[in-house]
Amino acid sequence: MRIGELAAANDLTPKTIRFYEQAGLLPAPPRTAGGYRDYPPQTGTRLAFVRDAQSAGLTLAEIRSILALRDSGEAPCVHVTDLIQQHLHDIERRMAELRKTRTALRGLAERAAATDPSTCTDADICRIIGRPAGR
């Protein structure tokens, strides 16, 4: 299958497929006598996997590592489980940080609502964000 057909069948652009090939996510396909890439039918399955893995938040390097295990004949289940756990841990940490940020922003919003701009002085950069006097 030529690159244009593969791209259309998988809702991708030929440029994306070439990028995936250069990034090591797709093996280099055989070439026709005319020098065109001739992708085997199972390439569509691999492209779908790459897109699903990206949707799950995996990086291209992580996806490449999964594919390398599979290509070597090893089931990547343990590796995938570890990656998922790492990503879940990272998301939980980021969500905790976002909750702290939301709390801080709510406090600043309350301060902003109570701040009279006419009381700001040249010594203040911003009385809403800056620390209140005496802190």
Side-chain angles (χ1 to χ4, degrees):
M1 178 182 319
R2 293 227 180 128
I3 194 167
E5 296 171 281
L6 181 65
N10 290 278
D11 198 28
L12 296 168
T13 65
K15 184 177 180 179
T16 299
I17 294 173
R18 284 191 294 273
F19 172 78
Y20 285 164
E21 194 177 318
Q22 290 172 341
L25 300 171
L26 292 177
R31 301 278 182 152
T32 65
Y36 293 103
R37 290 172 169 88
D38 188 22
Y39 292 93
Q42 66 269 25
T43 305
T45 301
R46 194 169 180 116
L47 287 170
F49 172 79
V50 169
R51 292 179 78 180
D52 290 345
Q54 285 181 302
S55 294
L58 298 180
T59 66
L60 293 182
E62 291 167 336
I63 297 167
R64 191 173 31 255
S65 70
I66 295 166
L67 292 169
L69 286 171
R70 174 49 69 201
D71 291 345
S72 72
E74 188 177 334
C77 300
V78 171
H79 181 58
V80 169
T81 300
D82 290 343
L83 290 172
I84 290 169
Q85 290 302 320
Q86 289 172 11
H87 279 267
L88 282 171
H89 174 75
D90 290 345
I91 287 171
E92 292 297 333
R93 181 186 48 75
R94 287 189 306 206
M95 287 175 68
E97 290 170 359
L98 286 170
R99 282 189 291 275
K100 287 180 185 177
T101 302
R102 180 182 57 199
T103 299
L105 287 171
R106 284 182 175 158
L108 290 173
E110 289 174 12
R111 188 183 303 169
T115 298
D116 179 359
S118 67
T119 64
C120 293
T121 67
D122 289 342
D124 296 319
I125 293 174
C126 176
R127 293 180 68 190
I128 298 168
I129 294 176
R131 295 179 185 203
R135 282 195 187 176

